Amino acid sequence: MSPEAWITLAVLLGVLAMLVASRTSPDIVMLGGLTALLVAPYKAADGAWQVGVLTPRDGLAGFANEGVITIAVLFVVAAGLRETGAMAWISSHVLGRPKNITTAQFRVMAPVALISAFLNNTPLVAIMLPVVDDWARKLRLSASKLLIPLSFASILGGACTLIGTASNLIVHGWLIDQRVALGLGENYTGLSMFELAWVGVPITVAGLAFILVAGRWLLPDRKPPLSSGDDPREYTTEMIVEAGSPLAGKTIEAAGLRHLPGLFIVEIDRGDQVLAAVSHNVVLRENDRLVFAGNVESVVDLQKIRGLIPATDQVFKLDEDRTNRCLVEAVVSNTCPILGRTIREGRFRTRYNAAVIAVARNGERIKGRKIGDIVLQAGDVLLLEARASFPEQHRDSRDFYLVAGIEGSRPLQHDKAPIALLILVALVTVVTTGVLTMLQAALLAAVATIATRCCRTAVARRAVDWQVLTVIAAALGLGKAMTTSGLAHVVADDLISLAGTNPTVVLAAVFVVTALLAAVITAKAAAVLMLPIAVAAAASLPAVDGHPVSFMPFVIAVMIAAATTVATPIGFPTNLMVLGPGGYKFGDYLRIGLPLTVVIAIVSVLVIPRVWAFADPARTSGQAAPAAQPAHVYNVNVEFRDEAGAVVATGAFDIPERLTVGQSIHGDWRGHVLSDAANLPTHRLGGGEYEGVIQDDGLGLNLNPGVADDNIFVSINWDAKSVWGHSTFAGGKIMGDAVVTSGMLLLIRADGTRREIDFSTTPRATP
């Protein structure tokens, strides 16, 4: 392997070890690994010292990745759903009230798997993540038992259709681009929309069944350090069923008021009648006054239920608009001027421009009195609805011992919930129908969310989870290093070569290697890397039933393996998105993801050959076998000389190991300007991309240094084993020549014959 590959391997192992064994935040670990790849010094093949396996452009490209930006924008859309209460509507109507954790997992996974077949799974999880998290908290369920199933269900469902996940579209596009070289013909239009369902549906059913059965043992059960039931303060608060409320006519249980965590109904005041010891089957009526007792978190949730309003009319007399208010806890001091008087007599709202909605005293609820009739004592804890600036203005007030705002307590804008849901439906519709790309639709949806005031600008800024975005972007950089250094090619080629000549065994090997790479370098990168390797592996197998082996089963295996990356959080954005909210560790993904990957692999290897047969009767043994470009030659070095023959720069580039005449190839190249070439523009020979076409007698490459009006041409001659090239810029002509020092190429001619070209020995032709 090249020095760059060894450095990449060392950094990757270090990152994985830190993620598994360290308590360090994943974003810090991933950024540390990316930094190491950007600054690590190494001695290049031409003998010159260079800094950085990755260029800054490649290393930081993940932060400008379209998928990362899309996720960031969707956080704003999700915030609009949360701020309007639309999220609660989704959870109540779609998720319901399950009796146990297994039922809860099924209610999360089934609809998500179905929807992800038609909507890209990344935005789906971005929208459903806060819904499921909030739903789990209200039902006293561990979010860690639900968020990995949420991610895995979206991944499995995305494998059922062509548009379910980005890696499927990448493979589909590659098949169309390579249709002539693969022998599919000019008229080949790719896979159909539901063709993958033949294998996608069985693996989804098997995968969901495995999670439901094994999840109780393999999924962690983590709860926050202080759960809602641990709060020693018990507030008394009153709510009224407003006129026209959707809760009117429903029983206590049907309205969802019976099982609120940390909260219970003390009594119902209905006119002159008081209903104590409230039963679950009591039917609510308009203008019922409900008296609750519970902890602060539950009281906050109570304020967000559509159809309930605070019983004190003081809330509606406050000067500030409700959208700019929040809930505040304040402890009454012994110097408070209204001490010993009732809240009503002390004119609390007039004095502080805040309304008391709940009171706690000595950790116990206050019995038998309405809030306005409670006589304040020193040490009473008041839950206030006030303007957002209240905590800052009264932090040093002698009237209160302590004043603190409650996070996430702003009143919801229920009247805007239909608008938020309409924005979500519009987003899904335009993406599913192909009118707009996911990024375009997400940007418009975010703008609409803010423009309609479903989400305020300040809330939108705070809604973006920068830790998630950082981890995803850094993971893309690590994946890029594996491909540009050649490490991924070495791993893939070596593992595939161990599979032998049995088509089923090779198919399994292709699946496993793809899954392994996808778990480390992301699904899309693994698919791009493994496609040509899979095709070449099929071409090397002996005939089946007198027919050459078809490459299609192996391409489908790559597609499914890349689309179902569940073994690590790195491989798929949705896995990274639930990492923090679920409180997961790296090992949690391995514990359930590895056996699930085995289940998916077994089902895939059994199903794929039955749908896409190994034997390809459309081709005969005399026709050209499709070939591709999996592994790289790492020591292709070019010396650039000036007109006097002096070496002024060196270059190195990678070319595929297996080549087909007429095949188009592309890749990366690296350059280094010598220190004594002071007049040579460094940026022109620093590296870039190349493209070229395979010829019968050699290979011509155009190197693009990313500079206008500049062109570098390099040609490799098979027989001479030499390289020559030229570059014209700044009025001067640079000639270059070099010798390929090592590596082997497999050239497949148009007539189907093959020629091995070993650059360390004499070239020889083989039939």
Side-chain angles (χ1 to χ4, degrees):
M1 292 194 301
S2 66
E4 303 99 298
W6 284 111
I7 292 173
T8 303
L9 179 61
V11 170
L12 187 62
L13 292 176
V15 167
L16 294 177
M18 287 285 288
L19 289 173
V20 172
S22 172
R23 294 181 179 270
T24 307
S25 177
D27 57 329
I28 301 300
V29 174
M30 299 294 286
L31 280 178
L34 182 61
T35 301
L37 293 171
L38 286 168
V39 302
Y42 66 94
K43 194 173 185 179
D46 58 5
W49 282 93
Q50 298 195 26
V51 176
V53 174
L54 286 172
T55 64
R57 178 180 179 181
D58 287 340
L60 302 178
F63 292 92
N65 180 271
E66 183 173 322
V68 174
I69 304 300
T70 301
I71 294 172
V73 175
L74 286 170
F75 280 128
V76 177
V77 179
L81 295 171
R82 182 178 61 251
E83 293 293 306
T84 60
M87 195 169 286
W89 184 90
I90 295 174
S91 63
S92 63
H93 286 75
V94 177
L95 302 178
R97 304 188 64 84
K99 301 295 184 181
N100 53 57
I101 191 64
T102 302
T103 306
Q105 289 171 343
F106 178 79
R107 291 196 177 188
V108 169
M109 292 191 297
V112 167
L114 177 62
I115 296 171
S116 66
F118 304 96
L119 176 66
N120 187 279
N121 40 30
T122 300
L124 176 61
V125 172
I127 293 169
M128 289 298 298
L129 173 57
V131 175
V132 175
D133 194 25
D134 184 66
W135 179 67
R137 181 177 56 80
K138 289 181 178 178
L139 295 180
R140 300 184 185 182
L141 300 173
S142 173
S144 61
K145 289 284 190 181
L146 296 172
L147 295 186
I148 276 183
L150 167 66
S151 175
F152 285 6
S154 72
I155 292 172
L156 292 171
C160 294
T161 64
L162 190 61
I163 64 172
T165 187
S167 59
N168 288 355
L169 294 174
I170 288 175
V171 175
H172 178 258
W174 184 86
L175 282 172
I176 294 175
D177 290 343
Q178 301 291 325
R179 60 187 181 275
V180 175
L182 294 172
L184 296 171
E186 282 285 359
N187 297 325
Y188 180 72
T189 58
L191 300 171
S192 65
M193 175 70 170
F194 297 102
E195 189 169 350
L196 287 176
W198 289 105
V199 62
V201 171
I203 65 173
T204 299
V205 172
L208 297 186
F210 174 82
I211 296 172
L212 291 174
V213 173
R216 66 184 68 183
W217 299 288
L218 299 181
L219 287 170
D221 186 10
R222 297 200 176 93
K223 296 180 179 179
L226 184 65
S227 64
S228 61
D230 297 330
D231 192 341
R233 295 163 298 174
E234 190 170 85
Y235 283 97
T236 299
T237 188
E238 300 173 2
M239 305 293 289
I240 289 180
V241 180
E242 65 178 338
S245 169
L247 303 181
K250 292 184 178 180
T251 64
I252 295 292
E253 183 160 12
L257 300 179
R258 187 186 180 200
H259 299 288
L260 294 174
L263 191 73
F264 66 94
I265 299 180
V266 177
E267 63 185 30
I268 298 178
D269 291 349
R270 181 175 292 165
D272 296 331
Q273 183 182 12
V274 176
L275 305 178
V278 182
S279 170
H280 69 280
N281 57 7
V282 172
V283 178
L284 296 172
R285 299 179 185 175
E286 293 180 356
N287 300 315
D288 278 352
R289 180 186 294 263
L290 312 180
V291 181
F292 292 88
N295 57 56
V296 63
E297 185 177 340
S298 298
V299 173
V300 170
D301 288 338
L302 199 61
Q303 308 296 311
K304 298 179 179 180
I305 296 178
R306 185 182 181 191
L308 291 181
I309 57 175
T312 172
D313 59 357
Q314 304 299 310
V315 166
F316 305 101
K317 297 179 181 179
L318 296 179
D319 296 338
E320 197 75 23
D321 186 89
R322 285 207 86 190
T323 59
N324 295 324
R325 303 179 202 168
C326 66
L327 297 186
V328 178
E329 283 187 297
V331 182
V332 178
S333 74
N334 60 3
T335 60
C336 182
I338 60 175
L339 204 64
R341 302 160 67 181
T342 67
I343 294 173
R344 183 178 293 107
E345 291 172 346
R347 298 174 63 84
F348 193 96
R349 177 191 60 80
T350 303
R351 182 182 296 269
Y352 298 107
N353 194 26
V356 180
I357 63 173
V359 181
R361 177 175 294 165
N362 298 325
E364 300 176 355
R365 68 183 178 88
I366 302 173
K367 301 179 180 179
R369 292 193 179 187
K370 295 182 179 180
I371 288 178
D373 297 329
I374 294 175
V375 178
L376 292 179
Q377 298 179 10
D380 282 353
V381 183
L382 310 180
L383 188 63
L384 312 175
E385 183 171 322
R387 58 191 179 280
S389 59
F390 186 94
E392 189 65 31
Q393 292 177 351
H394 294 273
R395 195 175 303 279
D396 299 322
S397 171
R398 296 184 61 192
D399 296 355
F400 305 105
Y401 286 130
L402 178 68
V403 179
I406 299 175
E407 186 176 355
S409 63
R410 292 183 180 276
L412 299 181
Q413 306 176 75
H414 291 293
D415 58 318
K416 293 187 179 295
I419 299 176
L421 288 171
L422 182 61
I423 291 172
L424 176 62
V425 171
L427 183 151
V428 173
T429 302
V430 297
V431 171
T432 305
T433 56
V435 175
L436 296 175
T437 67
M438 189 65 239
L439 177 58
Q440 292 169 334
L443 286 169
L444 288 177
V447 170
T449 298
I450 296 174
T452 57
R453 300 189 66 80
C454 291
C455 177
R456 295 182 302 110
T457 306
V459 175
R461 290 194 188 101
R462 294 194 300 269
V464 179
D465 192 332
W466 295 105
Q467 183 182 30
V468 169
L469 300 180
T470 300
V471 172
I472 296 174
L476 293 173
L478 294 179
K480 181 68 174 179
M482 282 197 68
T483 54
T484 58
S485 68
L487 175 61
H489 292 273
V490 172
V491 172
D493 255 8
D494 289 349
L495 292 179
I496 293 295
S497 65
L498 300 175
T501 58
N502 185 294
T504 303
V505 176
V506 174
L507 182 70
V510 167
F511 188 99
V512 170
V513 173
T514 305
L516 175 65
L517 291 175
V520 180
I521 67 173
T522 74
K524 290 185 285 188
V528 171
L529 175 68
M530 283 299 299
L531 281 170
I533 296 177
V535 172
S540 66
L541 294 173
V544 175
D545 298 332
H547 301 288
V549 174
S550 170
F551 58 83
M552 191 57 76
F554 302 90
V555 169
I556 298 298
V558 169
M559 185 178 267
I560 297 298
T564 56
T565 306
V566 296
T568 70
I570 301 174
F572 221 93
T574 59
N575 288 343
L576 289 169
M577 291 168 67
V578 302
L579 178 64
Y584 296 120
K585 299 177 181 178
F586 192 90
D588 296 330
Y589 290 86
L590 293 175
R591 189 178 301 110
I592 189 170
L594 282 179
L596 178 57
T597 301
V598 172
V599 171
I600 296 171
I602 292 173
V603 174
S604 299
V605 172
L606 291 175
V607 173
I608 289 175
R610 286 165 173 74
V611 181
W612 298 272
F614 285 129
D616 186 1
R619 286 174 38 221
T620 64
S621 57
Q623 289 179 301
Q629 42 188 6
H632 280 62
V633 176
Y634 303 112
N635 295 320
V636 179
N637 302 316
V638 181
E639 292 180 345
F640 292 97
R641 303 173 184 270
D642 59 20
E643 293 183 337
V647 177
V648 293
T650 60
F653 56 94
D654 305 332
I655 58 176
E657 183 184 36
R658 297 180 178 91
L659 304 169
T660 304
V661 172
Q663 172 188 348
S664 297
I665 63 171
H666 57 86
D668 299 316
W669 68 279
R670 302 167 300 282
H672 176 67
V673 178
L674 302 186
S675 58
D676 56 351
N679 296 326
L680 191 63
T682 301
H683 62 282
R684 292 182 180 269
L685 288 176
E689 300 177 346
Y690 75 76
E691 60 182 5
V693 178
I694 308 302
Q695 304 296 333
D696 208 29
D697 59 348
L699 166 64
L701 299 176
N702 285 308
L703 310 187
N704 176 21
V707 180
D709 301 324
D710 192 6
N711 179 59
I712 303 174
F713 179 77
V714 174
S715 175
I716 298 177
N717 182 276
W718 305 140
D719 296 319
K721 298 189 207 174
S722 64
V723 180
W724 68 271
H726 68 270
S727 173
T728 303
F729 59 82
K733 186 176 183 181
I734 294 182
M735 301 302 296
D737 64 80
V739 174
V740 183
T741 57
S742 65
M744 178 180 291
L745 298 177
L746 177 61
L747 178 67
I748 303 178
R749 299 188 181 93
D751 60 0
T753 59
R754 306 184 182 191
R755 177 184 179 184
E756 282 188 0
I757 304 170
D758 190 340
F759 285 102
S760 60
T761 61
T762 303
R764 60 186 183 278
T766 58

